[in-house]
Amino acid sequence: MTLMLVDSASLWYRAYFGMPESLVSPQGEPVNAIRGYLDMLSRLLIQYRPNRLVAAIEGDWRPSWRVELFPEYKSNRLADDGEEEEPDLLTPQIPILLDLIEEFGIPLVGADDYEADDVMATYAANEPGPIRIVTGDRDLFQLVSDEPDVQMIYLAKGISNHDLVDRNWVAKKYDIPGDRYGLFATFRGDPSDGLPGVKGIGEKGAALIARHYASAEEAIAGAKNGDSHLSPSLQKKIIEGVDYLSFAPKLVACATDVLLPNVDTTLPKRPKSLEKIYEYKNNLNLGSSVDRLISA
């Protein structure tokens, strides 16, 4: 009973930038993100044949508890109005897309003060596998596991060339134990989320730390004890980064205890009604994109 978890925002951003802006409705409204999202979801359903499906959405893209830990969290994405910066032509497409997803009978699940990552992590931690997480966000590499069977459909190279990520893939890619991506990311940082990591420690240093220690606490103890696995320079950087490391692991980790609504995740065999779906199809010139998802 495979459960597919779709990182909706990741998918619609990828759809928006991957599809031409010339895709518009008869009234000239942009529909490229809508069509791209529906097309990608259709292909994924056909390829992976999940029995269950959830479209995860953001309850809050900058949860208050993460901002309290680190005020600069995702501040690099803030627009002047305090909201998340997004392309002008994408914004009006999102409410329509969300409505369409619901009309197809696919549950949209979010939680107040949590990101979509946390929603998917909670499902991954508490549902039986197999689980397939659809995203272009490498942060979620921390969720892959062998038991339960949690793998990531990683869309960084596009839908046609996507990677199916498991712990072995993570281990080969970063030269670290496959279950320590979160620790590796804590030390390395992530500019896309405004996370600096430990000052002076890049990917190679973070990988070395993740190979020899299972937690930030262990790495700090190793640095303070002059562990030979760490160069004097790396020991010094870890010790100087103790303040950041006191909260960074919680900041980087996905929450796995989110209170989620009780929804039926069973993939419907067909939409309950096609009336509104066809209305959108005809009014917005969604054509084959709608037909493909109905077929899938």
Side-chain angles (χ1 to χ4, degrees), residues 247-280:
F247 62 81
K250 183 177 180 182
L251 185 68
V252 171
C254 297
T256 57
D257 58 353
V258 179
L259 185 61
L260 298 177
N262 185 18
V263 299
D264 183 3
T265 63
T266 306
L267 183 66
K269 294 188 185 305
R270 61 185 62 83
K272 287 182 180 177
S273 170
L274 291 172
E275 183 180 354
K276 195 167 183 183
I277 292 172
Y278 278 140
E279 189 178 313
Y280 274 126

Side-chain angles (χ1 to χ4, degrees), residues 128-161:
I131 292 171
R132 300 293 177 260
I133 299 169
V134 180
T135 186
D137 186 353
R138 62 183 180 175
D139 291 352
L140 296 177
F141 290 163
Q142 64 184 278
L143 301 182
V144 299
S145 71
D146 299 326
E147 186 57 46
D149 172 13
V150 180
Q151 297 181 41
M152 199 168 111
I153 300 166
Y154 183 46
L155 302 177
K157 298 177 186 174
I159 193 79
S160 298
N161 300 308

Side-chain angles (χ1 to χ4, degrees), residues 4-9 11 37 41 44 53-57 116 120 132-135:
M4 179 174 281
L5 304 169
V6 178
D7 183 352
S8 286
L11 210 62
Y37 186 106
L41 186 55
L44 291 165
L53 180 65
V54 169
I57 56 176
M120 292 184 288
R132 300 293 177 260
I133 299 169
V134 180
T135 186

Side-chain angles (χ1 to χ4, degrees), residues 12-92:
W12 69 53
Y13 268 98
R14 193 157 297 280
Y16 175 79
F17 288 108
M19 299 288 277
E21 291 183 3
S22 57
L23 290 173
V24 295
S25 72
Q27 296 77 36
E29 303 159 310
V31 296
N32 60 330
I34 299 171
R35 294 198 61 165
Y37 186 106
L38 299 181
D39 287 345
M40 285 192 284
L41 186 55
S42 301
R43 291 180 64 176
L44 291 165
L45 293 180
I46 290 168
Q47 180 170 352
Y48 288 97
R49 294 293 178 187
N51 311 94
R52 299 178 292 155
L53 180 65
V54 169
I57 56 176
E58 309 276 29
D60 190 338
W61 70 283
R62 288 184 83 223
S64 61
W65 57 276
R66 283 195 169 104
V67 175
E68 284 171 14
L69 286 171
F70 187 62
E72 289 80 16
Y73 181 64
K74 290 188 176 179
S75 61
N76 53 317
R77 302 191 204 172
L78 279 171
D80 291 339
D81 61 0
E83 296 298 316
E84 184 175 16
E85 214 167 24
E86 63 185 17
D88 292 340
L89 296 180
L90 171 60
T91 303

Side-chain angles (χ1 to χ4, degrees), residues 152-287:
M152 199 168 111
I153 300 166
Y154 183 46
L155 302 177
K157 298 177 186 174
I159 193 79
S160 298
N161 300 308
H162 70 265
D163 291 300
L164 186 59
V165 175
D166 58 11
R167 284 190 172 176
N168 188 50
W169 189 98
V170 173
K172 288 182 177 178
K173 173 75 172 175
Y174 296 104
D175 193 22
I176 60 174
D179 62 344
R180 293 185 188 173
Y181 183 83
L183 178 65
F184 167 75
T186 296
F187 280 90
R188 181 202 60 195
D190 189 343
S192 68
D193 287 339
L195 299 178
V198 176
K199 188 175 180 180
I201 296 180
E203 192 154 303
K204 287 183 178 178
L208 186 149
I209 291 165
R211 283 196 297 274
H212 293 289
Y213 306 99
S215 68
E217 290 80 7
E218 282 187 17
I220 292 168
K224 289 181 175 178
N225 293 332
D227 193 324
S228 60
H229 289 123
L230 304 170
S231 67
S233 173
L234 200 50
Q235 293 172 23
K236 183 171 184 287
K237 289 169 183 174
I238 292 171
I239 292 168
E240 288 175 347
V242 163
D243 286 346
Y244 179 75
L245 290 169
S246 67
F247 62 81
K250 183 177 180 182
L251 185 68
V252 171
C254 297
T256 57
D257 58 353
V258 179
L259 185 61
L260 298 177
N262 185 18
V263 299
D264 183 3
T265 63
T266 306
L267 183 66
K269 294 188 185 305
R270 61 185 62 83
K272 287 182 180 177
S273 170
L274 291 172
E275 183 180 354
K276 195 167 183 183
I277 292 172
Y278 278 140
E279 189 178 313
Y280 274 126
K281 174 186 171 180
N282 296 328
N283 291 344
L284 297 177
N285 191 29
L286 301 180

